[in-house]
Amino acid sequence: MNANKPFVDDYLAYLLARSSKLVSEQFHAKVKAAGVSVNYWRILASLSDADGLTLKQLNQRVLFNQPTLSKLITRMVAEGLLERHQDKQDKRAILIFISALGRDLVNDLLREAKWHESEVLADYSSEQQALMKDMLRQLINTLES
């Protein structure tokens, strides 16, 4: 612990949560301005480059509780933004896919998200940016295993 800083200013969980909140709030304002709910954005962005995800896999990405995610998926399927299909390898599993309509809704926001990310990280070198992301992915992998 750094004796010169208050506990939370040197505590990893706080730093991760605070930075995530600040970055997300900035971009979520743009999502809402585009007329898309933040929950829809998170689901559509998570599915945008996936070849179908199970409910469990999607839940790991969007970080909702299971009942909330199930309700959102049902609503988004009804609105034509998502599709459900039986997994060809495991007939018991259902995969969730983004539809063409969902892709149309989220494509501009995906580009905007990458632009926003570049603005947030503009003060860091490309090496520092890559290192930060690599470290976060390693932390996630370590904690999930």
Side-chain angles (χ1 to χ4, degrees), residues 103-139:
R103 193 169 306 286
D104 288 345
L105 183 64
V106 79
N107 273 343
D108 287 341
L109 286 171
L110 291 170
R111 284 188 290 279
E112 184 75 22
K114 287 311 274 184
W115 178 85
H116 177 254
E117 177 184 278
S118 70
E119 291 293 307
V120 167
L121 298 176
D123 292 337
Y124 302 93
S125 71
S126 57
E127 292 81 14
Q128 289 173 311
Q129 292 176 32
L131 179 61
M132 183 186 312
K133 289 179 180 183
D134 285 344
M135 290 175 69
L136 290 170
R137 280 189 287 270
Q138 287 175 12
L139 180 61

mmCIF file of all heavy atoms in Angstrom, residues 103-139:
data_model
loop_
_atom_site.group_PDB
_atom_site.id
_atom_site.type_symbol
_atom_site.label_atom_id
_atom_site.label_comp_id
_atom_site.label_asym_id
_atom_site.label_seq_id
_atom_site.Cartn_x
_atom_site.Cartn_y
_atom_site.Cartn_z
ATOM 1 N N ARG A 103 -27.666 -5.224 -36.315
ATOM 2 C CA ARG A 103 -26.357 -4.791 -36.819
ATOM 3 C C ARG A 103 -26.457 -3.365 -37.360
ATOM 4 O O ARG A 103 -25.584 -2.524 -37.108
ATOM 5 C CB ARG A 103 -25.864 -5.752 -37.896
ATOM 6 C CG ARG A 103 -24.423 -5.569 -38.257
ATOM 7 C CD ARG A 103 -23.888 -6.691 -39.117
ATOM 8 N NE ARG A 103 -24.077 -8.021 -38.560
ATOM 9 C CZ ARG A 103 -23.391 -8.529 -37.539
ATOM 10 N NH1 ARG A 103 -22.477 -7.800 -36.938
ATOM 11 N NH2 ARG A 103 -23.609 -9.750 -37.115
ATOM 12 N N ASP A 104 -27.522 -3.080 -38.105
ATOM 13 C CA ASP A 104 -27.721 -1.719 -38.625
ATOM 14 C C ASP A 104 -27.805 -0.706 -37.488
ATOM 15 O O ASP A 104 -27.281 0.400 -37.593
ATOM 16 C CB ASP A 104 -28.995 -1.636 -39.471
ATOM 17 C CG ASP A 104 -28.866 -2.334 -40.816
ATOM 18 O OD1 ASP A 104 -27.720 -2.642 -41.233
ATOM 19 O OD2 ASP A 104 -29.910 -2.586 -41.445
ATOM 20 N N LEU A 105 -28.472 -1.087 -36.412
ATOM 21 C CA LEU A 105 -28.639 -0.193 -35.271
ATOM 22 C C LEU A 105 -27.319 0.088 -34.566
ATOM 23 O O LEU A 105 -27.073 1.202 -34.106
ATOM 24 C CB LEU A 105 -29.647 -0.797 -34.281
ATOM 25 C CG LEU A 105 -29.991 0.028 -33.054
ATOM 26 C CD1 LEU A 105 -30.692 1.325 -33.445
ATOM 27 C CD2 LEU A 105 -30.865 -0.782 -32.104
ATOM 28 N N VAL A 106 -26.439 -0.898 -34.511
ATOM 29 C CA VAL A 106 -25.230 -0.779 -33.685
ATOM 30 C C VAL A 106 -23.966 -0.413 -34.465
ATOM 31 O O VAL A 106 -23.000 0.058 -33.866
ATOM 32 C CB VAL A 106 -25.019 -2.076 -32.868
ATOM 33 C CG1 VAL A 106 -24.403 -3.175 -33.702
ATOM 34 C CG2 VAL A 106 -24.222 -1.818 -31.625
ATOM 35 N N ASN A 107 -23.942 -0.561 -35.782
ATOM 36 C CA ASN A 107 -22.701 -0.344 -36.539
ATOM 37 C C ASN A 107 -22.090 1.029 -36.331
ATOM 38 O O ASN A 107 -20.878 1.147 -36.096
ATOM 39 C CB ASN A 107 -22.908 -0.613 -38.030
ATOM 40 C CG ASN A 107 -22.692 -2.069 -38.377
ATOM 41 O OD1 ASN A 107 -22.099 -2.822 -37.610
ATOM 42 N ND2 ASN A 107 -23.174 -2.474 -39.530
ATOM 43 N N ASP A 108 -22.887 2.087 -36.412
ATOM 44 C CA ASP A 108 -22.338 3.430 -36.212
ATOM 45 C C ASP A 108 -21.820 3.598 -34.787
ATOM 46 O O ASP A 108 -20.799 4.249 -34.562
ATOM 47 C CB ASP A 108 -23.394 4.498 -36.514
ATOM 48 C CG ASP A 108 -23.675 4.630 -38.008
ATOM 49 O OD1 ASP A 108 -22.831 4.183 -38.819
ATOM 50 O OD2 ASP A 108 -24.730 5.179 -38.361
ATOM 51 N N LEU A 109 -22.530 3.001 -33.819
ATOM 52 C CA LEU A 109 -22.091 3.097 -32.430
ATOM 53 C C LEU A 109 -20.782 2.349 -32.187
ATOM 54 O O LEU A 109 -19.970 2.773 -31.364
ATOM 55 C CB LEU A 109 -23.176 2.589 -31.487
ATOM 56 C CG LEU A 109 -24.366 3.521 -31.303
ATOM 57 C CD1 LEU A 109 -25.480 2.832 -30.526
ATOM 58 C CD2 LEU A 109 -23.951 4.812 -30.626
ATOM 59 N N LEU A 110 -20.565 1.259 -32.893
ATOM 60 C CA LEU A 110 -19.296 0.531 -32.762
ATOM 61 C C LEU A 110 -18.133 1.412 -33.210
ATOM 62 O O LEU A 110 -17.090 1.473 -32.544
ATOM 63 C CB LEU A 110 -19.329 -0.770 -33.571
ATOM 64 C CG LEU A 110 -20.250 -1.859 -33.057
ATOM 65 C CD1 LEU A 110 -20.372 -2.976 -34.093
ATOM 66 C CD2 LEU A 110 -19.788 -2.404 -31.718
ATOM 67 N N ARG A 111 -18.317 2.095 -34.334
ATOM 68 C CA ARG A 111 -17.269 3.013 -34.812
ATOM 69 C C ARG A 111 -17.080 4.163 -33.813
ATOM 70 O O ARG A 111 -15.954 4.557 -33.506
ATOM 71 C CB ARG A 111 -17.625 3.554 -36.198
ATOM 72 C CG ARG A 111 -17.400 2.543 -37.308
ATOM 73 C CD ARG A 111 -17.572 3.162 -38.694
ATOM 74 N NE ARG A 111 -18.959 3.496 -38.980
ATOM 75 C CZ ARG A 111 -19.884 2.637 -39.393
ATOM 76 N NH1 ARG A 111 -19.560 1.371 -39.561
ATOM 77 N NH2 ARG A 111 -21.110 3.029 -39.643
ATOM 78 N N GLU A 112 -18.191 4.676 -33.303
ATOM 79 C CA GLU A 112 -18.132 5.755 -32.310
ATOM 80 C C GLU A 112 -17.427 5.284 -31.037
ATOM 81 O O GLU A 112 -16.661 6.033 -30.427
ATOM 82 C CB GLU A 112 -19.552 6.230 -32.000
ATOM 83 C CG GLU A 112 -19.643 7.388 -31.069
ATOM 84 C CD GLU A 112 -19.280 8.727 -31.691
ATOM 85 O OE1 GLU A 112 -19.345 8.865 -32.923
ATOM 86 O OE2 GLU A 112 -18.910 9.636 -30.929
ATOM 87 N N ALA A 113 -17.661 4.042 -30.647
ATOM 88 C CA ALA A 113 -17.019 3.494 -29.443
ATOM 89 C C ALA A 113 -15.499 3.431 -29.624
ATOM 90 O O ALA A 113 -14.743 3.764 -28.707
ATOM 91 C CB ALA A 113 -17.573 2.109 -29.129
ATOM 92 N N LYS A 114 -15.048 2.997 -30.792
ATOM 93 C CA LYS A 114 -13.606 2.922 -31.030
ATOM 94 C C LYS A 114 -12.993 4.325 -31.077
ATOM 95 O O LYS A 114 -11.888 4.546 -30.583
ATOM 96 C CB LYS A 114 -13.302 2.157 -32.328
ATOM 97 C CG LYS A 114 -13.531 0.660 -32.210
ATOM 98 C CD LYS A 114 -12.872 0.045 -30.989
ATOM 99 C CE LYS A 114 -11.452 -0.354 -31.204
ATOM 100 N NZ LYS A 114 -10.848 -1.043 -30.024
ATOM 101 N N TRP A 115 -13.730 5.288 -31.653
ATOM 102 C CA TRP A 115 -13.254 6.666 -31.662
ATOM 103 C C TRP A 115 -13.170 7.191 -30.232
ATOM 104 O O TRP A 115 -12.173 7.810 -29.841
ATOM 105 C CB TRP A 115 -14.175 7.552 -32.511
ATOM 106 C CG TRP A 115 -13.732 8.977 -32.504
ATOM 107 C CD1 TRP A 115 -12.798 9.557 -33.316
ATOM 108 C CD2 TRP A 115 -14.168 10.009 -31.610
ATOM 109 N NE1 TRP A 115 -12.627 10.878 -32.980
ATOM 110 C CE2 TRP A 115 -13.468 11.183 -31.931
ATOM 111 C CE3 TRP A 115 -15.087 10.048 -30.570
ATOM 112 C CZ2 TRP A 115 -13.647 12.378 -31.250
ATOM 113 C CZ3 TRP A 115 -15.275 11.242 -29.892
ATOM 114 C CH2 TRP A 115 -14.560 12.388 -30.232
ATOM 115 N N HIS A 116 -14.201 6.934 -29.434
ATOM 116 C CA HIS A 116 -14.213 7.373 -28.037
ATOM 117 C C HIS A 116 -13.040 6.753 -27.278
ATOM 118 O O HIS A 116 -12.348 7.429 -26.507
ATOM 119 C CB HIS A 116 -15.550 7.002 -27.370
ATOM 120 C CG HIS A 116 -15.596 7.349 -25.929
ATOM 121 N ND1 HIS A 116 -15.508 6.399 -24.942
ATOM 122 C CD2 HIS A 116 -15.694 8.549 -25.290
ATOM 123 C CE1 HIS A 116 -15.558 6.998 -23.761
ATOM 124 N NE2 HIS A 116 -15.669 8.292 -23.943
ATOM 125 N N GLU A 117 -12.808 5.466 -27.500
ATOM 126 C CA GLU A 117 -11.675 4.798 -26.856
ATOM 127 C C GLU A 117 -10.367 5.483 -27.227
ATOM 128 O O GLU A 117 -9.512 5.714 -26.370
ATOM 129 C CB GLU A 117 -11.632 3.333 -27.266
ATOM 130 C CG GLU A 117 -10.454 2.585 -26.706
ATOM 131 C CD GLU A 117 -10.383 1.159 -27.201
ATOM 132 O OE1 GLU A 117 -11.077 0.304 -26.638
ATOM 133 O OE2 GLU A 117 -9.627 0.913 -28.172
ATOM 134 N N SER A 118 -10.213 5.822 -28.491
ATOM 135 C CA SER A 118 -8.966 6.473 -28.910
ATOM 136 C C SER A 118 -8.809 7.841 -28.247
ATOM 137 O O SER A 118 -7.693 8.243 -27.902
ATOM 138 C CB SER A 118 -8.885 6.580 -30.435
ATOM 139 O OG SER A 118 -9.810 7.516 -30.925
ATOM 140 N N GLU A 119 -9.898 8.538 -28.030
ATOM 141 C CA GLU A 119 -9.850 9.826 -27.334
ATOM 142 C C GLU A 119 -9.470 9.640 -25.859
ATOM 143 O O GLU A 119 -8.663 10.396 -25.328
ATOM 144 C CB GLU A 119 -11.206 10.533 -27.433
ATOM 145 C CG GLU A 119 -11.543 11.018 -28.824
ATOM 146 C CD GLU A 119 -10.621 12.132 -29.285
ATOM 147 O OE1 GLU A 119 -10.483 13.131 -28.550
ATOM 148 O OE2 GLU A 119 -10.029 12.001 -30.368
ATOM 149 N N VAL A 120 -10.070 8.647 -25.223
ATOM 150 C CA VAL A 120 -9.781 8.378 -23.812
ATOM 151 C C VAL A 120 -8.314 8.002 -23.627
ATOM 152 O O VAL A 120 -7.681 8.402 -22.653
ATOM 153 C CB VAL A 120 -10.709 7.253 -23.271
ATOM 154 C CG1 VAL A 120 -10.244 6.736 -21.921
ATOM 155 C CG2 VAL A 120 -12.151 7.739 -23.194
ATOM 156 N N LEU A 121 -7.770 7.255 -24.562
ATOM 157 C CA LEU A 121 -6.396 6.751 -24.441
ATOM 158 C C LEU A 121 -5.361 7.594 -25.187
ATOM 159 O O LEU A 121 -4.204 7.187 -25.305
ATOM 160 C CB LEU A 121 -6.341 5.306 -24.941
ATOM 161 C CG LEU A 121 -7.189 4.302 -24.167
ATOM 162 C CD1 LEU A 121 -7.131 2.931 -24.823
ATOM 163 C CD2 LEU A 121 -6.763 4.236 -22.713
ATOM 164 N N ALA A 122 -5.751 8.762 -25.658
ATOM 165 C CA ALA A 122 -4.867 9.587 -26.492
ATOM 166 C C ALA A 122 -3.556 9.960 -25.805
ATOM 167 O O ALA A 122 -2.542 10.146 -26.477
ATOM 168 C CB ALA A 122 -5.601 10.849 -26.939
ATOM 169 N N ASP A 123 -3.546 10.054 -24.490
ATOM 170 C CA ASP A 123 -2.327 10.443 -23.769
ATOM 171 C C ASP A 123 -1.359 9.278 -23.544
ATOM 172 O O ASP A 123 -0.297 9.463 -22.944
ATOM 173 C CB ASP A 123 -2.679 11.059 -22.410
ATOM 174 C CG ASP A 123 -3.365 12.404 -22.563
ATOM 175 O OD1 ASP A 123 -3.192 13.056 -23.613
ATOM 176 O OD2 ASP A 123 -4.088 12.805 -21.624
ATOM 177 N N TYR A 124 -1.741 8.095 -24.007
ATOM 178 C CA TYR A 124 -0.914 6.906 -23.808
ATOM 179 C C TYR A 124 -0.364 6.431 -25.144
ATOM 180 O O TYR A 124 -1.045 6.492 -26.162
ATOM 181 C CB TYR A 124 -1.731 5.777 -23.160
ATOM 182 C CG TYR A 124 -2.334 6.184 -21.829
ATOM 183 C CD1 TYR A 124 -3.624 6.700 -21.765
ATOM 184 C CD2 TYR A 124 -1.600 6.068 -20.655
ATOM 185 C CE1 TYR A 124 -4.170 7.097 -20.557
ATOM 186 C CE2 TYR A 124 -2.150 6.459 -19.443
ATOM 187 C CZ TYR A 124 -3.432 6.978 -19.405
ATOM 188 O OH TYR A 124 -3.968 7.370 -18.207
ATOM 189 N N SER A 125 0.846 5.922 -25.127
ATOM 190 C CA SER A 125 1.432 5.375 -26.356
ATOM 191 C C SER A 125 0.681 4.108 -26.759
ATOM 192 O O SER A 125 -0.022 3.506 -25.937
ATOM 193 C CB SER A 125 2.908 5.038 -26.133
ATOM 194 O OG SER A 125 3.027 3.904 -25.274
ATOM 195 N N SER A 126 0.853 3.702 -27.990
ATOM 196 C CA SER A 126 0.194 2.470 -28.437
ATOM 197 C C SER A 126 0.692 1.278 -27.628
ATOM 198 O O SER A 126 -0.067 0.350 -27.351
ATOM 199 C CB SER A 126 0.390 2.247 -29.941
ATOM 200 O OG SER A 126 1.754 2.214 -30.264
ATOM 201 N N GLU A 127 1.955 1.305 -27.202
ATOM 202 C CA GLU A 127 2.490 0.228 -26.371
ATOM 203 C C GLU A 127 1.814 0.218 -25.000
ATOM 204 O O GLU A 127 1.472 -0.841 -24.474
ATOM 205 C CB GLU A 127 4.011 0.361 -26.201
ATOM 206 C CG GLU A 127 4.801 0.138 -27.466
ATOM 207 C CD GLU A 127 4.862 1.356 -28.396
ATOM 208 O OE1 GLU A 127 4.514 2.484 -27.961
ATOM 209 O OE2 GLU A 127 5.224 1.180 -29.559
ATOM 210 N N GLN A 128 1.628 1.394 -24.416
ATOM 211 C CA GLN A 128 0.956 1.475 -23.118
ATOM 212 C C GLN A 128 -0.501 1.026 -23.223
ATOM 213 O O GLN A 128 -1.009 0.337 -22.338
ATOM 214 C CB GLN A 128 1.007 2.911 -22.569
ATOM 215 C CG GLN A 128 2.376 3.339 -22.110
ATOM 216 C CD GLN A 128 2.390 4.816 -21.739
ATOM 217 O OE1 GLN A 128 1.926 5.674 -22.483
ATOM 218 N NE2 GLN A 128 2.931 5.101 -20.558
ATOM 219 N N GLN A 129 -1.154 1.414 -24.304
ATOM 220 C CA GLN A 129 -2.542 0.994 -24.520
ATOM 221 C C GLN A 129 -2.640 -0.522 -24.618
ATOM 222 O O GLN A 129 -3.495 -1.146 -23.987
ATOM 223 C CB GLN A 129 -3.107 1.639 -25.792
ATOM 224 C CG GLN A 129 -3.283 3.131 -25.691
ATOM 225 C CD GLN A 129 -3.750 3.751 -26.984
ATOM 226 O OE1 GLN A 129 -4.484 3.131 -27.745
ATOM 227 N NE2 GLN A 129 -3.342 4.979 -27.244
ATOM 228 N N ALA A 130 -1.749 -1.113 -25.405
ATOM 229 C CA ALA A 130 -1.753 -2.566 -25.568
ATOM 230 C C ALA A 130 -1.438 -3.260 -24.245
ATOM 231 O O ALA A 130 -2.069 -4.263 -23.896
ATOM 232 C CB ALA A 130 -0.752 -2.980 -26.647
ATOM 233 N N LEU A 131 -0.480 -2.719 -23.496
ATOM 234 C CA LEU A 131 -0.112 -3.298 -22.208
ATOM 235 C C LEU A 131 -1.290 -3.243 -21.233
ATOM 236 O O LEU A 131 -1.571 -4.226 -20.539
ATOM 237 C CB LEU A 131 1.102 -2.572 -21.622
ATOM 238 C CG LEU A 131 1.587 -3.057 -20.258
ATOM 239 C CD1 LEU A 131 2.011 -4.532 -20.321
ATOM 240 C CD2 LEU A 131 2.741 -2.177 -19.769
ATOM 241 N N MET A 132 -1.980 -2.099 -21.188
ATOM 242 C CA MET A 132 -3.124 -1.966 -20.290
ATOM 243 C C MET A 132 -4.190 -3.013 -20.615
ATOM 244 O O MET A 132 -4.687 -3.704 -19.729
ATOM 245 C CB MET A 132 -3.732 -0.562 -20.408
ATOM 246 C CG MET A 132 -4.892 -0.319 -19.460
ATOM 247 S SD MET A 132 -5.756 1.270 -19.689
ATOM 248 C CE MET A 132 -4.432 2.441 -19.771
ATOM 249 N N LYS A 133 -4.513 -3.155 -21.876
ATOM 250 C CA LYS A 133 -5.534 -4.127 -22.280
ATOM 251 C C LYS A 133 -5.068 -5.553 -22.020
ATOM 252 O O LYS A 133 -5.854 -6.388 -21.554
ATOM 253 C CB LYS A 133 -5.894 -3.943 -23.756
ATOM 254 C CG LYS A 133 -6.682 -2.676 -24.015
ATOM 255 C CD LYS A 133 -6.988 -2.545 -25.500
ATOM 256 C CE LYS A 133 -7.761 -1.309 -25.816
ATOM 257 N NZ LYS A 133 -8.101 -1.230 -27.256
ATOM 258 N N ASP A 134 -3.808 -5.836 -22.313
ATOM 259 C CA ASP A 134 -3.277 -7.179 -22.060
ATOM 260 C C ASP A 134 -3.329 -7.520 -20.575
ATOM 261 O O ASP A 134 -3.702 -8.624 -20.188
ATOM 262 C CB ASP A 134 -1.833 -7.313 -22.565
ATOM 263 C CG ASP A 134 -1.736 -7.421 -24.076
ATOM 264 O OD1 ASP A 134 -2.769 -7.695 -24.734
ATOM 265 O OD2 ASP A 134 -0.626 -7.210 -24.607
ATOM 266 N N MET A 135 -2.950 -6.571 -19.736
ATOM 267 C CA MET A 135 -2.967 -6.809 -18.298
ATOM 268 C C MET A 135 -4.394 -7.050 -17.800
ATOM 269 O O MET A 135 -4.621 -7.936 -16.967
ATOM 270 C CB MET A 135 -2.321 -5.633 -17.553
ATOM 271 C CG MET A 135 -0.822 -5.558 -17.765
ATOM 272 S SD MET A 135 -0.080 -4.107 -16.999
ATOM 273 C CE MET A 135 -0.294 -4.521 -15.274
ATOM 274 N N LEU A 136 -5.330 -6.284 -18.303
ATOM 275 C CA LEU A 136 -6.727 -6.482 -17.892
ATOM 276 C C LEU A 136 -7.250 -7.839 -18.347
ATOM 277 O O LEU A 136 -7.934 -8.539 -17.596
ATOM 278 C CB LEU A 136 -7.601 -5.347 -18.428
ATOM 279 C CG LEU A 136 -7.367 -3.990 -17.769
ATOM 280 C CD1 LEU A 136 -8.108 -2.892 -18.526
ATOM 281 C CD2 LEU A 136 -7.758 -4.006 -16.298
ATOM 282 N N ARG A 137 -6.923 -8.232 -19.593
ATOM 283 C CA ARG A 137 -7.341 -9.563 -20.073
ATOM 284 C C ARG A 137 -6.712 -10.670 -19.237
ATOM 285 O O ARG A 137 -7.370 -11.648 -18.872
ATOM 286 C CB ARG A 137 -6.964 -9.734 -21.555
ATOM 287 C CG ARG A 137 -7.939 -9.061 -22.504
ATOM 288 C CD ARG A 137 -7.660 -9.449 -23.965
ATOM 289 N NE ARG A 137 -6.459 -8.820 -24.481
ATOM 290 C CZ ARG A 137 -6.432 -7.632 -25.094
ATOM 291 N NH1 ARG A 137 -7.529 -6.958 -25.272
ATOM 292 N NH2 ARG A 137 -5.292 -7.138 -25.529
ATOM 293 N N GLN A 138 -5.428 -10.520 -18.885
ATOM 294 C CA GLN A 138 -4.763 -11.513 -18.036
ATOM 295 C C GLN A 138 -5.413 -11.588 -16.658
ATOM 296 O O GLN A 138 -5.615 -12.671 -16.107
ATOM 297 C CB GLN A 138 -3.280 -11.180 -17.885
ATOM 298 C CG GLN A 138 -2.469 -11.447 -19.115
ATOM 299 C CD GLN A 138 -1.023 -10.978 -18.963
ATOM 300 O OE1 GLN A 138 -0.563 -10.649 -17.875
ATOM 301 N NE2 GLN A 138 -0.292 -10.945 -20.070
ATOM 302 N N LEU A 139 -5.755 -10.444 -16.098
ATOM 303 C CA LEU A 139 -6.419 -10.403 -14.801
ATOM 304 C C LEU A 139 -7.760 -11.113 -14.870
ATOM 305 O O LEU A 139 -8.092 -11.938 -13.990
ATOM 306 C CB LEU A 139 -6.595 -8.945 -14.342
ATOM 307 C CG LEU A 139 -7.286 -8.732 -13.000
ATOM 308 C CD1 LEU A 139 -6.490 -9.379 -11.866
ATOM 309 C CD2 LEU A 139 -7.469 -7.240 -12.746
#
